[in-house]
Amino acid sequence: MEEYFASGHTACAGCGMPITVRHALNVLGKDVIVVNATSCLEIVSSAYPRSAWGVPYIHSLFENSGAIATGAVASLRAQGNEHTKVVVFAGDGSTYDIGFGVLSGMLERNDDVLYICYDNEAYMNTGNQRSGSTPFGAATTTSPAGKVKHGKMQWKKPIAEIIAAHQIPYVATASIGYMADFESKVRKAKDMKGARFILVLAPCVTGWNYDSAKTIEIAKLAVDTGLWMLYEIEDGKFKVSYKPQQFKPVADYLKMQARFKHLSEEQIKTIQEHMNKAWAEVKQ
Amino acid sequence: MKKTVEVSIAIAEAVKNCEPDVVACYPITPSTHIAETLAKFYADGELKSFIATESEFASISAICGASAAGGRAFSATSSQGLALMHEVVYAAAGMRLPIVMVVGNRALSAPLNIWCDQQDSVAERDSGWIQLYCESAQEGVDTAIQAFKIAESTMLPVMVCVDGFYLTHTVEQVEVPTLEEVRKFLPKFQPKVKLDPENPISMGEYATPEYYQGFREDVHRDHLAAKSRIVEVDKEFEQMFGRSHGGLAQGYRIEDADYVFAGMGSVIGNAKEVVDELRAKGKKVGVLKIRSLRPFPGEEVRKLLEGKKHVAIFEKSYSLGSFAPVYAEVINSLYPLRKRPVVSSFIGGLGGKDVPTKTVHEIFKMIKKREPLEIWI
Ligand SMILES: Cc1ncc(C[n+]2csc(CCOP(=O)(O)OP(=O)(O)O)c2C)c(N)n1
Ligand code: SF4
Ligand SMILES: [Mg+2]
């Protein structure tokens, strides 16, 4: 099979992001234009005069990929091209925070774009600062564990739900720990029209600080502990994609990563209860 | 007491000792370590607030709100971050909000580049902010403190420009004034006007053509008046700490020099080194350091350069389609002279391109002739 994301990129060993991109492109094929926001992905894949991309690629800025994509697809369609897909790859920083306004505009207009956010739960390219996606309790360099504050003290922004509130045709969450599920979601989104959004959990070895051999294991455990819920919202209908028969304790997941190492048993309990409550509220 | 520390950390400590009410930052290389250090102070209970915003647009907006509500407010940024702030940068000056921002100078996209030049802050030079460019690590630390005093007494925002990596990331011996020392130097911020229910005022109204230009002119006149304030604050700082950084502009071994290297920021340190070497060989060469780009010290520059044969300006930015910015300022300052020095412009170090001292020696050879040059080195 032809690969569209070459192995010569410079991501850290064990990084979840290239795995996300490579598998998504394998499903999407060659007839795509990739729009990328400034991020680790951009830096590791596009240092001039090299490029890891085997499909057309544009990086503009950190906060505007939603609108670059809007313009690109409008241009293609205006030129009579009805087939080429425009796909955004963006990090959580750009999706949840700095590019959120622009993304919301793209969604509200229901522009014909597939937007894939690889979520590593912080600004990794600049050295692990908190984002709207950083989970409760995680220590980052701008939410450090200090004498009076103990990591990020707010919950993660429920971005997929906020995006679904725009009433676009397709919203899904995925994890690279459940690759077949992710690929099938990309496959489904590929041939739909309008704005589609997939949020993929893609662990960061450096920022989460774990053994680089454990990326897939951690991405799986996020789902198995119930902390990362896999679901789809298709034409407004919510459906859980996979529910573990029995949840593993959230502590199993938290204790594998140094970003949580300062947490007290009390805080771990708070996270466990938050997770229990989230699942209790799910209408299945 | 001197300590050996990364300059960003020292700057953050200096800012903390100025006791800001509100700090709002967003990560961007090479200013990130300033934000991270302030976040750590906050997590340890040593800073009143640290707002990790969702964009630089929000950071500067938050510190504008903080300042309008009567607080001392600070942010740090670089490059794309500053560019994203642009709209608010103008509004902050127009609303006369005395905020302070450290800019870790870095190139602008595209192509993306994280290394040093000064295009980011130079692009904001017409906004109404005071802009001070720092030569050394120590100057960055001291200017951050001076900046609050200048801003709060002129009601103009101040940008403290420190070259990315060359200054932000070097580990050096610096002296960081302590909290007690800073308290003696920097009075409490007591704005004459603020958002106050006891004394309601309106800020940021719209102004019809009848009034608008008057507001702009006011900012300009106050910039001219701020020149003496910048010099004064540097002197007051010297009285208390024994260090000054050249007020608006400063010559080095310039009195009897025929040839002068000029520029802004960390390049001045290198130029001084080369000048010392050339002086040892009997060459009549000196340095002009431009510390304040806004307000621009036209008269001071004219006085310092009058009678010189050739001035070579190091530029770390360019006004594409026209001239290099510092060159244009200097030429303009020299225009009233009957006999003007030849001025040449050397564009180097854009996007972090290395300019070794060897090149500076070569430039010295080039300016022996009397024809003006523009060279992209
Ligand atoms: C306006 C602006 N602010 C800040 C930056 C610096 N910056 C580049 S990438 C990045 C973080 C990216 O985070 P995310 O989107 O989560 O992607 P990741 O690097 O984690 O993969 C930041 C802060 C920038 N390029 N532009
Ligand atoms: S820092 Fe994290 S996200 Fe970035 S390349 Fe390394 S592992 Fe991947
Ligand atoms: Mg991220």
Side-chain angles (χ1 to χ4, degrees):
Chain A
M1 186 168 69
E2 201 173 335
E3 292 281 351
Y4 302 107
F5 190 70
S7 58
H9 61 75
T10 56
C12 309
C15 177
M17 156 267 286
I19 302 175
T20 311
V21 173
R22 199 165 62 85
H23 282 262
L25 285 180
N26 283 345
V27 174
L28 292 167
K30 138 184 219 314
D31 192 14
V32 298
I33 289 175
V34 167
V35 178
N36 181 205
T38 315
S39 56
C40 269
L41 174 57
E42 187 262 331
I43 296 297
V44 305
S45 70
S46 81
Y48 182 83
R50 292 176 295 271
S51 172
W53 298 89
V55 287
Y57 168 87
I58 179 171
H59 156 258
S60 167
L61 294 172
F62 186 21
E63 65 277 13
N64 67 353
S65 41
I68 294 274
T70 290
V73 77
S75 172
L76 290 175
R77 303 300 177 253
Q79 296 171 74
N81 175 335
E82 295 295 332
H83 50 86
T84 301
K85 318 250 176 251
V86 174
V87 184
V88 175
F89 287 106
D92 50 288
S94 132
T95 305
Y96 286 65
D97 296 343
I98 200 166
F100 178 70
V102 164
L103 170 58
S104 177
M106 184 203 102
L107 301 169
E108 183 270 336
R109 289 185 302 269
N110 196 24
D111 294 323
D112 191 17
V113 175
L114 170 57
Y115 190 110
I116 299 179
C117 170
Y118 70 95
D119 193 345
N120 53 26
E121 303 189 318
Y123 303 141
M124 294 312 179
N125 182 44
T126 38
N128 192 21
Q129 295 83 24
R130 96 195 267 290
S131 76
S133 167
T134 303
F136 178 88
T140 70
T141 61
T142 51
S143 64
K147 296 193 185 99
V148 296
K149 299 275 185 289
H150 312 284
K152 185 175 162 183
M153 293 288 94
Q154 301 84 20
W155 296 102
K156 194 178 166 89
K157 189 191 279 192
I159 196 75
E161 293 162 42
I162 296 168
I163 281 168
H166 291 76
Q167 307 178 67
I168 58 170
Y170 189 71
V171 175
T173 63
S175 160
I176 60 164
Y178 284 85
M179 192 49 83
D181 174 70
F182 172 46
E183 287 182 346
S184 81
K185 286 169 174 165
V186 176
R187 199 166 293 116
K188 186 185 268 183
K190 177 184 173 190
D191 294 318
M192 296 173 98
K193 288 274 171 226
R196 297 90 82 202
F197 178 85
I198 303 178
L199 181 69
V200 201
L201 186 70
C204 164
V205 180
T206 320
W208 296 13
N209 202 343
Y210 60 83
D211 171 1
S212 63
K214 304 240 151 108
T215 297
I216 298 298
E217 192 180 319
I218 283 188
K220 232 168 140 6
L221 205 50
V223 175
D224 296 344
T225 53
L227 282 169
W228 190 265
M229 196 186 289
L230 299 179
Y231 60 85
E232 290 176 298
I233 304 172
E234 206 177 331
D235 292 323
K237 278 195 271 318
F238 177 94
K239 190 170 149 251
V240 170
S241 316
Y242 168 70
K243 184 179 180 189
Q245 294 222 307
Q246 186 153 24
F247 291 119
K248 293 189 174 147
V250 297
D252 290 4
Y253 174 74
L254 303 175
K255 288 192 170 158
M256 277 177 82
Q257 307 167 51
R259 62 176 172 154
F260 295 114
K261 73 167 188 286
H262 58 282
L263 291 185
S264 63
E265 289 307 316
E266 194 60 33
Q267 284 167 311
I268 292 177
K269 210 171 124 222
T270 306
I271 296 171
Q272 183 70 63
E273 281 162 5
H274 191 263
M275 170 270 165
N276 294 345
K277 189 160 160 278
W279 277 96
E281 281 165 7
V282 165
K283 321 178 263 317
Q284 288 163 63
Chain B
M1 200 187 62
K2 283 209 171 190
K3 54 177 155 186
T4 306
V5 64
E6 189 191 289
V7 179
S8 290
I9 294 174
I11 290 176
E13 202 176 324
V15 168
K16 181 201 74 179
N17 292 345
C18 293
E19 301 177 273
D21 295 290
V22 177
V23 172
C25 290
Y26 192 79
I28 180 152
T29 310
S31 71
T32 307
H33 292 180
I34 299 174
E36 291 178 337
T37 309
L38 288 164
K40 183 79 177 94
F41 288 138
Y42 175 63
D44 286 337
E46 294 178 49
L47 197 65
K48 282 186 247 177
S49 80
F50 178 88
I51 309 173
T53 56
E54 76 284 6
S55 72
E56 290 87 354
F57 186 81
S59 301
I60 189 169
S61 300
I63 65 167
C64 282
S67 183
R72 179 174 287 162
F74 174 84
S75 189
T77 193
S78 299
S79 178
Q80 305 308 120
L82 183 56
L84 184 60
M85 290 177 174
H86 175 71
E87 193 180 358
V88 197
V89 166
Y90 269 65
M95 291 168 78
R96 309 302 300 263
L97 299 171
I99 54 183
V100 171
M101 189 154 69
V102 170
V103 174
N105 284 113
R106 159 181 158 184
L108 281 173
S109 287
L112 187 148
N113 174 292
I114 59 167
W115 289 275
C116 177
D117 68 34
Q118 295 167 345
Q119 191 72 52
D120 50 359
S121 56
V122 167
E124 302 299 331
R125 70 187 184 270
D126 300 335
S127 62
W129 284 58
I130 289 173
Q131 291 196 335
L132 303 175
Y133 288 77
C134 301
E135 170 190 344
S136 66
Q138 187 65 59
E139 183 173 345
V141 170
D142 295 346
T143 305
I145 299 168
Q146 291 186 8
F148 285 105
K149 197 164 189 175
I150 297 167
E152 291 164 13
S153 54
T154 59
M155 294 305 276
L156 290 168
V158 179
M159 221 175 263
V160 179
C161 305
V162 290
D163 282 338
F165 294 104
Y166 297 123
L167 292 182
T168 55
H169 284 56
T170 40
V171 175
E172 262 191 49
Q173 279 219 336
V174 289
E175 178 118 22
V176 182
T178 62
L179 182 68
E180 290 69 32
E181 287 169 338
V182 176
R183 276 185 184 161
K184 282 187 209 135
F185 173 76
L186 179 66
K188 274 210 156 60
F189 178 41
Q190 281 167 325
K192 290 202 192 75
V193 290
K194 61 176 177 180
L195 301 173
D196 176 8
E198 293 301 320
N199 180 24
I201 55 150
S202 304
M203 283 187 176
E205 296 124 298
Y206 87 97
T208 53
E210 214 181 333
Y211 297 107
Y212 177 82
Q213 185 167 314
F215 277 99
R216 305 304 292 165
E217 191 178 342
D218 275 354
V219 176
H220 173 62
R221 304 259 166 243
D222 290 347
H223 255 263
L224 301 184
K227 284 189 188 178
S228 58
R229 189 66 190 133
I230 293 168
V231 173
E232 246 166 54
V233 169
D234 197 32
K235 286 221 177 83
E236 288 166 20
F237 194 89
E238 184 177 21
Q239 276 156 17
M240 193 166 291
F241 300 103
R243 296 186 297 274
S244 75
H245 297 290
L248 299 160
Q250 192 180 40
Y252 175 77
R253 306 186 84 165
I254 201 171
E255 292 77 25
D256 65 336
D258 289 329
Y259 303 95
V260 176
F261 295 127
M264 307 192 297
S266 61
V267 70
I268 292 299
N270 301 359
K272 284 180 178 171
E273 231 180 272
V274 174
V275 160
D276 287 344
E277 287 169 30
L278 291 169
R279 282 275 177 182
K281 293 186 200 151
K283 312 283 182 206
K284 289 177 120 185
V285 51
V287 176
L288 166 66
K289 158 178 168 173
I290 295 169
R291 181 172 184 240
S292 175
L293 180 63
R294 287 294 179 272
F296 192 78
E299 271 169 58
E300 290 77 359
V301 166
R302 184 155 63 242
K303 276 193 200 125
L304 287 161
L305 294 182
E306 187 165 8
K308 307 301 174 201
K309 286 189 178 147
H310 203 141
V311 182
I313 305 183
F314 296 113
E315 305 279 0
K316 282 200 181 175
S317 67
Y318 201 85
S319 179
L320 302 177
S322 176
F323 295 103
V326 184
Y327 168 84
E329 298 286 346
V330 170
I331 286 281
N332 190 47
S333 308
L334 298 178
Y335 188 75
L337 295 176
R338 278 170 167 267
K339 201 166 163 283
R340 303 181 200 106
V342 178
V343 183
S344 290
S345 170
F346 295 88
I347 298 92
L350 298 197
K353 193 171 181 201
D354 197 24
V355 184
T357 45
K358 191 172 118 250
T359 311
V360 184
H361 281 284
E362 280 161 18
I363 288 173
F364 181 64
K365 284 186 203 133
M366 290 188 233
I367 61 170
K368 286 301 208 20
K369 296 199 201 101
R370 286 198 56 81
E371 75 208 51
L373 305 165
E374 185 190 272
I375 294 180
W376 291 65
I377 48 180

